[in-house]
Amino acid sequence: MAKIDTRCVHAGYHPGKGEPRQLPIIQSTTFRYETSDQMGRLFDLEDSGYFYTRLQNPTVDAVAAQINDLEGGVGAILTSSGQAANLFACLNIATAGDHIVAANNIYGGTFNLLGVTLRQMGIDVTFLKADAPDDEIQAAIRPSTKLIFGETISNPGVEVFDIERWAKMAHRNGLPLVVDNTFATPVLCRPFEWGADIVTHSTTKYIDGQGVSVGGAVVDSGNFPWDRYPERFPGLTKPDASYHGLTYTQKFGKAAYIVKATTHLMRDLGSTQSPQNAFYLHLGLQTLHLRIRRHSESALKVAKWLQSRPEVAWIHYPGLGNPLAVKYLPDGCSGVMCLGLKGGRAFDNRFLDALKLVTIETHVADCHTCVLHPASHTHRQLSDEQLRAAGIAPDLIRLSIGLEDPDDIIEDLAQALNVAAHD
């Protein structure tokens, strides 16, 4: 198999003689067939092909195949956002009355998705600390539990998830482990190699890399033995009345999970990735191996510099000696870090206002260096006590290092700290 740098450039789309070198954008809602039987066989899942872009589209499928190749799965789908990807990953196997176990340091939007929205749909969730001991994880698992969820690098706390340990606990209980691999990307970490079963992405972040397209992806390893637990996963192992009684595991084998996500959830929920946005992702993927390593190198340099500054109360970056990062992220830890400054919220705001190169944004993980203070921005409605309960320190600043020269980034941070200290 080619190395991952080569696969970033070549995976997913393989033009034949006389076909476009670049991935075509098939901007069509529907596709033509010559006979009624041809169309009918597509709807019966007897033939593969395209009939409506909500379910499948050649451009979108090529980029899904590209991400699938990089992660080492059996199949993938693109979604309209990372939130949609995590929703699909859960709803594909969990329904009302079921239960999920999740690490509590996950992205706030995902925390709310699981802890509020899915609960309103009748799916309960138990949140545990990512470093919870095995016996605590075991005690949280119920007969109704359908999956365990975590993030390779948490957002915004940048903690590293012990994928192998959690995978062992999941599999001991007949459960799949779902890992959001957004910050690490498959260039820095491939969770399937450590036992994860399903991987999700917010492709809006490093995979896009330019801040131009919102999207998500779900990738299936094909490794989880759904048929071994038919009563726990009836949606995959029992006949589906909405598809003429077919059973996904019997008809599609290792690809059962991802086929169901496409034919059932995408059909009914319609969180579709547009061909245009998929094309942007394709361009981003072709340079992902170059960009993510530069992000990581620059972030480590900036993090070490910040460690030396007297204004910095604390800093978290996996590359600063985290043993789990050594295990799971030996080639880099992405460009995202978080830190706290001395002097309180007023000092934080003076610092942010004084930045010139670094921009204040709700986005993260693209080519521009950007910063966010959740207590003043995304979570400003919460008290300090509520922030801590959500796993966010009131003084936490999320800093995402872009592709500028790291010395220029450091110069801007230095002048902003000096301004904040003397105002």
Side-chain angles (χ1 to χ4, degrees):
M1 180 183 290
K3 294 183 179 178
I4 197 160
D5 292 25
T6 303
R7 287 152 56 202
C8 281
V9 177
H10 287 278
Y13 175 61
H14 307 286
K17 180 180 179 181
E19 295 180 338
R21 171 60 272 183
Q22 302 305 324
L23 176 66
I25 303 171
I26 308 300
Q27 195 68 48
S28 179
T29 60
T30 192
F31 303 84
R32 177 182 181 272
Y33 288 88
E34 295 176 346
T35 70
S36 176
D37 181 65
Q38 290 173 342
M39 182 67 78
R41 290 182 63 82
L42 292 173
F43 276 93
D44 285 344
L45 304 183
E46 294 296 334
D47 287 345
S48 61
Y50 301 97
F51 51 88
Y52 197 56
T53 283
R54 186 177 80 241
L55 277 83
Q56 289 180 293
N57 172 281
T59 306
V60 176
D61 280 4
V63 182
Q66 194 174 9
I67 295 172
N68 178 65
D69 183 282
L70 297 179
E71 286 287 7
V74 297
I77 60 169
L78 300 189
T79 60
S80 56
S81 68
Q83 283 288 83
N86 286 330
L87 176 65
F88 276 34
C90 296
L91 289 187
N92 207 33
I93 50 178
T95 59
D98 289 336
H99 173 250
I100 293 170
V101 173
N104 71 347
N105 61 354
I106 55 178
Y107 166 58
T110 310
F111 189 97
N112 197 76
L113 170 68
L114 301 182
V116 178
T117 302
L118 287 192
R119 275 186 173 144
Q120 291 172 346
M121 299 170 68
I123 300 172
D124 199 9
V125 61
T126 299
F127 292 106
L128 301 175
K129 290 184 177 180
D131 61 355
D134 289 358
D135 58 351
E136 188 175 337
I137 299 171
Q138 185 64 52
I141 294 172
R142 310 172 187 172
S144 60
T145 304
K146 293 299 177 73
L147 64 100
I148 295 178
F149 187 95
E151 293 177 351
T152 307
I153 303 174
S154 66
N155 178 13
V158 296
E159 298 174 80
V160 181
F161 191 57
D162 194 346
I163 301 170
E164 187 173 36
R165 182 172 74 90
W166 281 80
K168 288 179 179 177
M169 290 300 299
H171 297 161
R172 184 182 302 171
N173 289 275
L175 300 172
L177 177 65
V178 179
V179 175
D180 185 327
N181 200 32
T182 295
F183 277 2
T185 83
V187 174
L188 299 181
C189 181
R190 286 168 293 284
F192 294 157
E193 297 177 1
W194 299 102
D197 301 288
I198 309 297
V199 159
T200 63
H201 286 278
S202 171
T203 60
T204 316
K205 309 305 189 297
Y206 286 120
I207 286 181
D208 171 285
Q210 315 299 319
V212 296
S213 62
V214 175
V218 182
V219 189
D220 179 12
S221 70
N223 293 331
F224 192 81
W226 309 105
D227 269 335
R228 192 178 299 172
Y229 311 99
E231 300 306 318
R232 176 170 278 163
F233 304 107
L236 291 167
T237 62
K238 305 290 184 181
D240 183 351
S242 70
Y243 265 111
H244 314 290
L246 71 82
T247 300
Y248 291 98
T249 51
Q250 290 180 5
K251 187 170 183 63
F252 300 104
K254 287 181 173 294
Y257 176 94
I258 206 68
V259 171
K260 180 178 181 293
T262 303
T263 60
H264 183 185
L265 295 180
M266 193 62 79
R267 176 197 65 187
D268 293 352
L269 300 180
S271 300
T272 308
Q273 175 71 263
S274 74
Q276 186 73 46
N277 277 353
F279 177 76
Y280 294 144
L281 292 185
H282 175 66
L283 297 181
L285 282 161
Q286 290 181 318
T287 61
L288 176 61
H289 57 295
L290 302 174
R291 292 185 289 103
I292 194 64
R293 292 182 182 124
R294 173 60 183 266
H295 283 294
S296 299
E297 292 167 2
S298 295
L300 182 58
K301 183 173 184 177
V302 172
K304 288 180 176 178
W305 177 83
L306 284 167
Q307 273 189 317
S308 70
R309 292 292 300 203
E311 303 92 340
V312 176
W314 57 270
I315 181 168
H316 293 162
Y317 180 66
L320 297 175
N322 185 323
L324 289 176
V326 174
K327 176 178 180 177
Y328 294 112
L329 301 157
D331 296 325
C333 299
S334 88
V336 184
M337 65 189 71
C338 61
L339 64 145
L341 300 178
K342 301 173 184 176
R345 192 170 298 192
F347 186 94
D348 293 340
N349 288 324
R350 292 199 302 272
F351 164 69
L352 265 63
D353 290 347
L355 292 165
K356 299 177 180 178
L357 177 68
V358 179
T359 56
I360 302 171
E361 298 180 30
T362 55
H363 198 234
V364 67
D366 70 16
C367 60
H368 303 92
T369 296
C370 54
V371 67
L372 184 76
H373 181 224
S376 299
H377 304 141
T378 54
H379 294 68
R380 63 181 295 115
Q381 75 278 10
L382 302 183
S383 67
D384 285 359
E385 291 73 22
Q386 290 171 321
L387 285 166
R388 292 188 184 96
I392 300 173
D395 62 343
L396 183 148
I397 292 173
R398 185 182 68 184
L399 179 62
S400 176
I401 303 302
L403 296 180
E404 306 93 343
D405 189 296
D407 290 336
D408 289 334
I409 299 169
I410 289 171
E411 182 179 342
D412 190 39
L413 295 172
Q415 68 82 22
L417 287 171
N418 289 334
V419 169
H422 292 94
D423 273 5

